[in-house]
Amino acid sequence: MEAVKQNGYALQFVKEQTPEICLEAVKKNGLVLEFVDEQTPELCLEAVKQHGISLQFYENEQTPEMCLEAVKQCGYALQYVNKQTYEICLEAVKKEGIALEFVDKQTPEICLEAIKENTDAFEYVREITPEICMETIRQHSLNVQHMLEKNPKILKTNKFKKVLMHQTIQAVKCINDILYPVLPNLPSP
């Protein structure tokens, strides 16, 4: 028991595992769930609270509660959730926007939350809407504004101007591609 309290990975060398020893091990390091001989939902719940990715090592049927706890701790744990729900996916992208990559059934709300957490999540949006484009631009603008407030001299560099111009052009193209087919009376670009 003392060895496991010092280092959870010591569990892999314990020949006679008890529920108490296993509980101590997963509380120390959730990833040692992989070495638990008799996994229980309670042990998995403790493991994912410590390290969400440990959900991948749970060999029995997952519960919604353990999946929700896993993604609250680490959004990337969504990739190991067997039965995704709206709530689980929403929590995952709120924690890690890029977890949008693993959402089976994307909704505009889930995509917007992912973008709010990290604009790089835009890459994984399957159905782009004007709202998603606008939020991406808004978030990007806030990032640029924050960066300029911290370091106003950056605006004077040509490299920054080129990157900013490229991002702006990409955003305008994105909005144009979506809105032009919907609003055909607009003059074409």
Side-chain angles (χ1 to χ4, degrees):
M1 177 76 101
E2 289 306 313
V4 169
K5 283 184 178 179
Q6 294 294 317
N7 183 343
Y9 277 105
L11 182 65
Q12 63 188 312
F13 305 110
V14 175
K15 297 206 184 328
E16 293 182 30
Q17 294 182 3
T18 65
E20 295 78 23
I21 291 173
C22 293
L23 184 60
E24 282 298 322
V26 298
K27 280 184 174 180
K28 187 74 176 164
N29 185 335
L31 294 173
V32 301
L33 183 64
E34 177 181 12
F35 305 111
V36 174
D37 293 335
E38 293 183 33
Q39 296 179 352
T40 65
E42 296 76 26
L43 278 174
C44 182
L45 188 57
E46 286 300 321
V48 300
K49 284 180 180 179
Q50 200 284 323
H51 205 303
I53 296 293
S54 63
L55 184 64
Q56 70 182 303
F57 300 120
Y58 188 58
E59 298 168 352
N60 301 315
E61 188 167 338
Q62 297 174 352
T63 67
E65 181 186 11
M66 73 177 59
C67 294
L68 190 58
E69 287 298 325
V71 300
K72 281 181 177 179
Q73 198 284 322
C74 175
Y76 295 114
L78 183 62
Q79 65 190 302
Y80 303 111
V81 172
N82 292 334
K83 294 178 184 169
Q84 293 183 3
T85 65
Y86 174 83
E87 181 185 15
I88 290 169
C89 293
L90 189 61
E91 284 299 322
V93 301
K94 282 182 176 181
K95 181 72 176 172
E96 319 270 355
I98 301 293
L100 184 63
E101 175 183 7
F102 306 111
V103 174
D104 292 336
K105 295 178 183 169
Q106 292 183 1
T107 66
E109 296 81 21
I110 288 173
C111 293
L112 282 171
E113 285 300 323
I115 299 292
K116 286 177 185 176
E117 199 287 315
N118 185 338
T119 55
D120 290 341
F122 185 81
E123 177 181 345
Y124 302 107
V125 175
R126 293 187 198 113
E127 192 172 320
I128 299 169
T129 66
E131 293 83 15
I132 291 170
C133 284
M134 292 305 293
E135 184 61 29
T136 304
I137 292 167
R138 190 177 82 69
Q139 291 296 327
H140 181 71
S141 296
L142 290 174
N143 291 342
V144 170
Q145 181 181 354
H146 178 71
M147 188 170 41
L148 290 173
E149 287 170 359
K150 291 281 187 192
N151 186 0
K153 292 179 184 177
I154 196 167
L155 188 57
K156 295 179 182 177
T157 66
N158 284 333
K159 185 173 184 177
F160 177 78
K161 290 177 185 175
K162 283 182 182 179
V163 168
L164 187 58
M165 183 62 75
H166 176 73
Q167 292 292 338
T168 304
I169 290 169
Q170 292 303 106
V172 170
K173 282 183 181 178
C174 174
I175 290 173
N176 186 57
D177 289 348
I178 290 171
L179 292 180
Y180 186 71
V182 176
L183 305 170
N185 296 332
L186 295 176
S188 90

